[in-house]
Amino acid sequence: MDIEALVDLMDGKGELAGALASSEQRIEQLVQQLRFMREVMAQVHELAEEKTKTPLYNLAMIHSKAQVALRVAAQSGLL
């Protein structure tokens, strides 16, 4: 690495800085996706409670939530 490229990187300029910023944004995106997936899984777990008073409604909700979560994960590249 030449000195000029290092200086540009430290100043947040140049090709390397852009690549690092892009990587950081992608990592943050994936972290947000994982948080979303965790929340969906918690909701599904809650809906799957055995002693529910509305099992058919809960099953439909589980199906919908799982479908949305899978679609979002596929679109983000997580899957």
Side-chain angles (χ1 to χ4, degrees), residues 2-31:
D2 65 19
I3 298 297
E4 191 172 315
L6 182 59
V7 170
D8 284 345
L9 177 61
M10 292 174 69
D11 289 340
K13 301 176 184 174
E15 191 175 314
L16 288 174
L20 285 175
S22 177
S23 294
E24 288 174 3
Q25 289 172 349
R26 182 66 179 144
I27 290 168
E28 182 58 32
Q29 236 180 2
L30 291 175
V31 166

Side-chain angles (χ1 to χ4, degrees), residues 29-70:
Q29 236 180 2
L30 291 175
V31 166
Q32 291 299 324
Q33 287 294 319
L34 290 172
R35 286 185 181 138
F36 171 73
M37 294 297 255
R38 181 176 179 261
E39 179 63 29
V40 169
M41 291 304 297
Q43 291 172 3
V44 165
H45 180 72
E46 202 173 294
L47 287 167
E49 185 65 39
E50 288 180 24
K51 298 178 182 180
T52 183
K53 294 180 182 180
T54 57
L56 292 178
Y57 173 78
N58 287 7
L59 184 60
M61 289 298 294
I62 289 169
H63 178 76
S64 296
K65 288 177 180 290
Q67 189 176 25
V68 168
L70 288 171

